[in-house]
Amino acid sequence: MSNPSTVSNESIAPSDPETELLREYADRIRRSLKGPAQFLSFWIAIALPFIHLPLLSQGLGDPTVTLTFVVLLAVNVLALYAGHGYNN
């Protein structure tokens, strides 16, 4: 039987203090933007159905109206996903 070889950590570069500062800065920005982004997404998800109603009452016979409705529906779904954790 052979002895298991030891793996050295020489291939792992030591962390650069400048890189760590950039990561901390990026994390701080991400955390500070999360609340306002969730707030905005939540209220967009609440308001968009009121725009859907006139489009539906007009009818979806025109391709432009149908495309607008589908795009607004997709934006609404994304806003619901992004804003679902607001005020928790």
Side-chain angles (χ1 to χ4, degrees):
M1 265 189 136
S2 64
N3 292 335
S5 64
T6 59
V7 178
S8 69
N9 287 335
E10 293 173 8
S11 63
I12 300 174
S15 63
D16 183 20
E18 199 171 290
T19 305
E20 290 297 320
L21 280 173
L22 286 174
R23 283 188 188 142
E24 288 177 22
Y25 184 68
D27 286 342
R28 192 176 322 135
I29 289 174
R30 194 174 304 121
R31 284 191 307 264
S32 69
L33 292 178
K34 184 180 178 186
Q38 279 186 328
F39 170 82
L40 187 62
S41 296
F42 175 81
W43 286 108
I44 286 173
I46 296 295
L48 275 180
F50 293 106
I51 298 173
H52 292 253
L53 291 174
L55 289 174
L56 287 174
S57 68
Q58 178 182 348
L60 298 178
D62 183 22
T64 306
V65 175
T66 304
L67 179 63
T68 303
F69 178 78
V70 170
V71 168
L72 286 174
L73 189 63
V75 169
N76 199 0
V77 169
L78 290 173
L80 282 170
Y81 178 74
H84 79 278
Y86 173 67
N87 210 10
N88 280 341

